[in-house]
Structure formats: structure tokens, C-alpha cells
Amino acid sequence: MITIRGLTKVYNPRRPSERVLSDLDLVIPEREVVSIVGTSGSGKSTLLNIIGGLDRHYDGSVSIDGRDIQQMNDTEISQFRNSKIGFVFQDFNLLPHLTCGENIALPAYFRQGLTRSEIDARVRDVLSRVTIPHKLDQYPDLLSGGERQRVAIARALFNHPKILLCDEPTGSLDSKSSQLILDLFLSLNENEGLTIVLVTHDASVSRRADRIVRLEDGRVVTIEANQRQPVGAPTREPSGAPPAEVADAAAGENDAAA
């Protein structure tokens, strides 16, 4: 589903040695749940933006569902992204002046051919899939964090994507809500075959994936096959191991000291 070869990203061309991503190779098969982990500044979000076609200024190749996204023009990449990829963010990115249903229907404005009745039917369908159909006419500010994230996921599902790209999707949630959102992701993967890429600092999140890809200084340093916890399983830190965000903070302090 996702094939990355020799990916190199430099933000400042005057300083080519300061690479955000450096000669990165990664293959993510269809229907896999992959967690991308690493310290702040390791290139996780940049990698996610490139996979999603939001950033196409790089060296190397990135193919999504058999197509090289760097070879597409602006119109083609917009249509491809809108039909193939759903995005889920830490801060939900819901518009407060729109109802949940109106927020979910926003992708329809970038896709021609859907009638009003088809849009309404899709909105109700995806709200049911994320188990909050009764929130259709409510406004985001009246929802809990977990409910708002479910609305954001429903919006990502509106155009029936093949891939979900999730940037810290549980970062703003309490542990119980995080568990429910992760169960929802795994259910979507198991029942609908979605390929899911999760960027996270949270070890309890990464352990729910099929594989854990660790980045350091813009490179893949380890890829760990994982016996992921099933839907409904409790998330716990392994005995004696600090949470990922604590380890990341310690690493950052050591770097600063150095």
C-alpha cells in the first residue's frame, strides 16, 4: 500500500546537511496497522505529511496504492488524497460553528458528483460506524474529547479511504477515551481492511500496532514486529519500562546536556 525508497527531506536548501529525513526506506503492506515512534524532531510528522501528499518537496520516491505521488499535478494529488487518504489529528480540527454532521460532510465540498441525499446518508453511516449517531446535530464544543475525536474519525472516513494517517490521535485524550479510540481504529482495520499509520509518543498506543517503526535523526533505526493487543484489551505499561513520552523527554534532556 505504501512504498518509500531513499526518502530525503531538507527544509533549508542552504544547509543540505541538516536533513529532516535521510535516505529512508519503508514498506507498509495493505491492511497493516503501523506505529511510527521516536523523539521530538526525529521526522515523524514530516514523514506522515509526505505520505499524505501534503509535502511533495523531497528526494526519493513515495508510492501510495501503486502511484508515485510526486508525479501527480496539484489537481491529481488533491483528488487522490481526498479519495484514498483520511487524516486524524491530535486537536480534532473541527469547526466550532458547524454541527457534527456539517463537519463530517466537509470532504463532500472537494468531491463532485454527490447529491444532498447521498451526502446525508454518508454522514449518518460514518457516525454510526463510530458509534455516535445521536450526535449528528450537536456542536463540537458540547462534546467530550473522545466524542470529538470520533467525529474527526467519521470525517476521515467520509470518502471511504484506504488509508488512515493519524498524528498523535490520542494525545489530547484521557486513558479511557484513548482506549476506546484505539479499539475503534483496530475495528476499522479488522472489519474494513483500512491501512492505518499512527504517529505517537505513547507506548500504550504503539503496542496496539502490528509493527513499531522507530525513527532517529530522520532514519529508520528499528522495525519491531508486534503481537498487538486485541480490541478491548487493557493498555498497560510493561513492568519496569517508563512511558514512551518520559523516555523521549529524558533523551531530549541528554541531547541538550551534550
Side-chain angles (χ1 to χ4, degrees):
M1 180 58 71
I2 301 170
T3 303
I4 301 170
R5 299 297 185 196
L7 178 59
T8 298
K9 171 68 180 180
V10 178
Y11 280 116
N12 187 348
R14 296 182 179 180
R15 298 180 178 179
S17 62
E18 297 180 3
R19 298 178 174 182
V20 182
L21 299 172
S22 183
D23 199 26
L24 186 149
D25 293 332
L26 182 63
V27 175
I28 300 176
E30 188 176 7
R31 302 179 67 98
E32 188 171 57
V33 179
V34 173
S35 176
I36 309 293
V37 302
T39 58
S40 296
S42 60
K44 304 186 300 298
S45 292
T46 299
L47 176 59
L48 206 69
N49 288 339
I50 289 174
I51 293 173
L54 300 174
D55 184 342
R56 291 189 292 150
H57 300 286
Y58 56 83
D59 293 319
S61 67
V62 179
S63 295
I64 309 295
D65 200 19
R67 297 192 62 184
D68 187 334
I69 60 176
Q70 202 173 36
Q71 301 304 313
M72 301 180 195
N73 61 37
D74 290 344
T75 300
E76 289 172 333
I77 190 64
S78 295
Q79 292 174 345
F80 182 84
R81 187 168 53 232
N82 199 36
S83 63
K84 299 284 186 179
I85 300 172
F87 294 88
V88 180
F89 304 97
Q90 176 178 346
D91 295 325
F92 321 128
N93 288 354
L94 301 175
L95 299 180
H97 62 283
L98 299 181
T99 67
C100 293
E102 291 167 339
N103 269 283
I104 292 167
L106 284 174
Y109 293 99
F110 304 96
R111 178 173 181 170
Q112 298 178 348
L114 291 177
T115 66
R116 183 71 254 177
S117 61
E118 289 172 330
I119 292 171
D120 291 343
R122 283 197 184 197
V123 168
R124 293 181 184 278
D125 173 59
V126 292
L127 267 177
S128 294
R129 286 157 68 189
V130 300
T131 70
I132 52 170
H134 54 291
K135 302 297 182 180
L136 175 67
D137 295 319
Q138 289 196 17
Y139 288 89
D141 288 349
L142 300 177
L143 306 182
S144 68
E147 289 171 336
R148 277 180 277 177
Q149 192 62 292
R150 286 175 182 269
V151 173
I153 294 169
R155 181 184 57 196
L157 296 174
F158 180 86
N159 278 331
H160 305 153
K162 290 188 174 183
I163 300 169
L164 279 185
L165 301 180
C166 310
D167 195 355
E168 299 285 358
T170 62
S172 299
L173 305 178
D174 58 57
S175 59
K176 182 178 179 180
S177 296
S178 296
Q179 172 84 356
L180 293 173
I181 292 300
L182 289 169
D183 282 347
L184 175 57
F185 284 140
L186 295 186
S187 295
L188 291 168
N189 168 257
E190 293 171 2
N191 299 329
E192 303 183 27
L194 268 68
T195 303
I196 299 177
V197 182
L198 294 161
V199 164
T200 183
H201 282 88
D202 191 337
S204 68
V205 173
S206 62
R207 285 199 304 277
R208 307 294 300 274
D210 297 307
R211 286 191 300 161
I212 303 172
V213 177
R214 179 169 290 277
L215 300 186
E216 287 184 12
D217 300 323
R219 298 177 183 270
V220 174
V221 291
T222 61
I223 299 179
E224 176 188 348
N226 192 42
Q227 185 64 45
R228 79 182 191 192
Q229 298 173 351
V231 174
T235 56
R236 297 187 302 272
E237 296 295 335
S239 178
E245 60 268 28
V246 174
D248 286 351
E253 290 173 0
N254 290 337
D255 290 344

